[in-house]
Amino acid sequence: MDSNPLTKKLILKTASSESEIYFGRGTLLKAGLLCGTRFRGRRVHIVSDTNVAPLYLSQVSMLFEENGFTVTSTVLPAGETSKTLDSVHALYEDFVSTTLTRADLVVALGGGVIGDTTGFAAATYLRGINLCQIPTTLLAQVDSSVGGKCGVDLKSGKNLVGAFYQPHMVLIDPDMLNSLPEHIFNDGMAEVIKYGFIADKSILEKLESNLDNDMISDVILRSVEIKRDIVMQDERDTSIRMILNFGHTIGHALEKLGGFHALSHGQAVALGMKAALQLGILLGITEKSTIPQLNNLLDRFELNQEITYSAPSIADALLNDKKILSSTISFILIKTPGEAFIHNLSLLSLRQLIVEVLK
Ligand code: GLY
């Protein structure tokens, strides 16, 4: 396998787990073979959604069947409304009715919602069953499928229930992105741009040039490597992993103000990164040239929009977040492209800075 130049294997090792990440064009076609070699059980339950299943479910089922697996599946309605405990419960029932054991395998075939929901069901069913993530969106390929964060939303907020559960295997095939609508692809680009700003400015240089398919593969792989390296240092998100939240603190407030449908995650993160750079400039920490650089990239991927909410309402949405448990917040700032750090701010200073930056 490793002699195939199109497939690269990365290992994400933590104190209690080892996640094998296979990356490259055509990797999907090896799904049955790779899982057949790694997993003892011969049952696989694939979870997908109504957008992805018509494109890939029969093909992926066949790839597993050809390698001796008995395949069953659940198809959830596409969209954030499926990221609930009700969906997790429905998955448990399907796992039980197909007599899935801990030796068997659950496959998440889809974007972030499917990956997060299925990941949480896999983490908790029988106290943990084998899990393979096959991410089908750019956002899921570079972020949510790697690193083990999984969970669901409650009525009172997003991602309020969840776990850290490393997938045993992740299969990332950039060819699967060819079926994506352009705006969904662009949405994922916000996260790729994030990796450039927090850890590797060469990603930004690539995105600024004439991007072809090979370069897109390169920036995805580099993003996954960065995430793998960060998660290996801090799986539980208590220190360096927080830098992955660059642009997300204000981005999340914007998503919340739009009822989680006015702005996509990528659009919100894009605007959140811009605000975070402006905030860093106001504090005298961030280089001023980062703003035109980010603007140029956001224009390129149609992620540069006006913020339509008032600065005080954004500050309120951010500071009323149920996940804020203390009087300070770890805010991610950039010094120069490729160099991020955690800056602790009191909630009061953050409010004042947001109002100043977004006025
Ligand atoms: N999506 C950010 C993280 O996995 O920590």
Side-chain angles (χ1 to χ4, degrees):
M1 181 60 50
D2 288 331
S3 62
N4 180 342
L6 293 181
T7 297
K8 192 171 159 67
K9 179 177 173 184
L10 307 176
I11 299 285
L12 191 165
K13 206 168 165 23
T14 67
S16 57
S17 66
E18 189 167 295
S19 195
E20 292 179 5
I21 304 167
Y22 291 90
F23 174 88
R25 292 162 67 182
T27 296
L28 177 67
L29 305 177
K30 298 164 195 153
L33 186 65
L34 288 166
C35 291
T37 312
R38 166 101 198 243
F39 302 109
R40 206 162 35 88
R42 278 296 164 263
R43 276 181 199 281
V44 55
H45 192 83
I46 304 174
V47 183
S48 194
D49 71 24
T50 46
N51 284 343
V52 175
L55 299 174
Y56 291 113
L57 185 55
S58 337
Q59 184 192 4
V60 175
S61 301
M62 204 154 40
L63 290 165
F64 279 98
E65 279 158 7
E66 281 166 357
N67 284 276
F69 285 95
T70 301
V71 179
T72 48
S73 59
T74 304
V75 177
L76 296 171
E80 188 75 27
T81 48
S82 280
K83 206 170 141 177
T84 59
L85 285 170
D86 284 347
S87 298
V88 173
H89 190 225
L91 292 179
Y92 294 150
E93 296 293 355
D94 287 354
F95 296 167
V96 170
S97 68
T98 55
T99 61
L100 225 55
T101 70
R102 290 183 71 186
D104 295 316
L105 175 64
V106 171
V107 171
L109 174 68
V113 168
I114 288 298
D116 285 6
T117 310
T118 309
F120 186 62
T124 44
Y125 177 70
L126 303 178
R127 297 195 179 83
I129 182 169
N130 294 319
L131 171 67
C132 171
Q133 293 273 2
I134 306 184
T136 57
T137 62
L138 178 56
L139 196 125
Q141 292 197 346
V142 296
D143 185 29
S144 54
S145 67
V146 174
K149 276 190 187 172
C150 57
V152 294
D153 304 335
L154 297 182
K155 282 205 178 66
S156 45
K158 275 185 70 165
N159 294 323
L160 289 180
V161 175
F164 290 97
Y165 187 67
Q166 296 300 335
H168 301 75
M169 194 177 279
V170 185
L171 303 178
I172 301 177
D173 186 340
D175 277 349
M176 296 184 90
L177 305 180
N178 296 338
S179 52
L180 281 184
E182 196 178 350
H183 69 280
I184 307 278
F185 178 82
N186 286 345
D187 210 43
M189 269 299 165
E191 296 284 350
V192 177
I193 294 169
K194 175 194 83 177
Y195 287 109
F197 274 99
I198 62 169
D200 185 351
K201 67 177 181 188
S202 79
I203 292 179
L204 304 177
E205 285 153 14
K206 286 208 171 86
L207 295 178
E208 281 155 4
S209 65
N210 287 325
L211 262 190
D212 59 21
N213 274 347
D214 285 341
M215 284 166 111
I216 290 172
S217 282
D218 285 353
V219 294
I220 297 173
L221 175 60
R222 189 65 198 112
S223 301
V224 172
E225 282 172 345
I226 293 168
K227 180 145 192 194
R228 186 270 313 256
D229 293 347
I230 289 174
V231 172
M232 277 178 51
Q233 294 170 65
D234 173 29
E235 184 188 21
R236 297 282 159 153
D237 206 6
T238 57
S239 55
I240 190 172
R241 185 165 180 167
M242 289 183 199
I243 70 170
L244 295 172
N245 288 336
F246 172 56
H248 284 61
T249 310
I250 293 175
H252 185 73
L254 297 171
E255 275 185 278
K256 194 160 141 186
L257 285 170
F260 294 101
H261 54 76
L263 287 174
S264 66
H265 182 68
Q267 287 168 333
V269 168
L271 299 177
M273 289 192 287
K274 206 155 114 176
L277 292 181
Q278 284 162 340
L279 203 146
I281 291 170
L282 198 65
L283 290 169
I285 293 170
T286 304
E287 278 175 11
K288 289 194 175 134
S289 59
T290 52
I291 292 284
Q293 187 172 19
L294 178 64
N295 271 333
N296 176 31
L297 286 168
L298 298 188
D299 285 341
R300 180 154 201 184
F301 298 105
E302 295 179 8
L303 291 164
N304 211 357
Q305 344 186 351
E306 288 296 315
I307 295 181
T308 52
Y309 309 110
S310 73
S313 67
I314 296 168
D316 286 343
L318 193 162
L319 298 172
N320 291 335
D321 195 310
K322 292 191 170 50
K323 284 186 178 164
I324 297 181
L325 300 174
S326 79
S327 57
T328 60
I329 194 163
S330 303
F331 197 84
I332 309 308
L333 291 177
I334 302 296
K335 193 161 182 291
T336 184
E339 216 182 296
F341 63 95
I342 302 166
H343 188 74
N344 288 318
L345 280 170
S346 72
L347 299 185
L348 187 63
S349 335
L350 183 59
R351 164 174 270 284
Q352 285 164 348
L353 285 162
I354 287 175
V355 169
E356 178 65 23
V357 157
L358 298 176
K359 68 178 178 228

